[in-house]
Amino acid sequence: RHRAPPPPEDAWRLIEQSRLVAEALAWGEHFDPSLFDLFCERRLLPGLVAALCAPRVPAAAKVQLLQTLSMMSQNVRHETSWYYLLSGGHLSKLFDRGVGGADEELTAWFVSFEKSLALRLDANTVTLCIDRATGRFPLFESLAKHAVHGDQMVRTSARTALLTLLRRC
C-alpha cells in the first residue's frame, strides 16, 4: 500500500528547519559549542539520515538535508564534533542506502556531500568510517559506484574523493 507524499507545507517546513539547524550549528562551532551538544542529545543526526533514506521525502527536502550535512561536515572545528558525525554508523547507513537513484540532481548533491567528507578525513578519522564488524568501508563503496556514473561531474567528484581516500588509507 502506497502512501501519498507529505503535503508541500510539511516539506517546506523540513527544508526551513534543516537550514536553521545548519546555520545554528555553524554559528555554535565558533561561539557556543553547547549547540552541538544539543544536536547530539536530541539525536538529530539519525533523524536527518532517516529523512534522507525515506522514499516519501521530496527531492527538494533531500537536497536541503544534504546541504545541511555538508555545511556541518565543513564547519565543525571541534574534534569531538567531527568524531560524533563520523561515529555511530549513521552516515555509513546513508552511504549503504544511497540517495538520488534516478534523480540526477539529487545524486550530484549526494556525491558532493561524500566528497566533502572524504576531503576532511585523515588517517585517524578514516577508521571511523570503516565498519569494524564486517571490515566494509561504505563511503568508499558508494564513491566507487559513482565513479562510473553517467554524469561527468558525478564521476569526477567521486573519483577525486576516491583518490583522496586512497592517499589517506
Side-chain angles (χ1 to χ4, degrees):
R1 173 176 146 173
H2 296 286
R3 293 182 175 176
E9 63 272 3
D10 287 347
W12 289 114
R13 192 172 342 165
L14 176 61
I15 290 168
E16 182 60 18
Q17 288 174 349
S18 67
R19 185 187 62 76
L20 291 172
V21 165
E23 289 176 4
L25 290 173
W27 182 86
E29 277 294 311
H30 297 283
F31 302 106
D32 187 0
S34 69
L35 286 175
F36 197 85
D37 295 340
L38 184 61
F39 175 83
C40 297
E41 289 170 16
R42 298 293 180 169
R43 300 189 37 79
L44 291 179
L45 181 58
L48 292 173
V49 170
L52 277 164
C53 293
R56 293 181 3 153
V57 173
K62 288 184 178 187
V63 166
Q64 180 59 52
L65 292 169
L66 287 169
Q67 290 173 341
T68 297
L69 287 174
S70 290
M71 281 182 64
M72 288 171 47
S73 69
Q74 292 169 11
N75 287 300
V76 292
R77 299 287 177 249
H78 298 96
E79 189 174 274
T80 54
S81 302
W82 181 231
Y83 275 60
Y84 173 80
L85 288 176
L86 299 174
S87 61
H90 304 296
L91 295 180
S92 290
K93 176 181 167 185
L94 181 63
F95 302 137
D96 274 338
R97 291 196 177 178
V99 175
D103 186 323
E104 296 291 323
E105 180 185 7
L106 197 50
T107 298
W109 279 105
F110 181 60
V111 173
S112 176
F113 167 61
E114 290 179 319
K115 178 183 168 190
S116 72
L117 278 178
L119 294 176
R120 282 219 46 205
L121 293 174
D122 59 29
N124 295 321
T125 55
V126 75
T127 60
L128 296 171
C129 298
I130 297 172
D131 184 332
R132 290 192 176 126
T134 63
R136 292 183 53 246
F137 190 177
L139 173 59
F140 189 89
E141 293 170 10
S142 178
L143 287 165
K145 276 192 284 191
H146 290 108
V148 294
H149 192 273
D151 181 88
Q152 183 176 352
M153 285 182 62
V154 169
R155 266 193 327 269
T156 302
S157 288
R159 290 173 181 175
T160 299
L162 283 170
L163 291 172
T164 300
L165 289 174
L166 288 171
R167 267 193 311 252
R168 295 184 179 159
C169 291

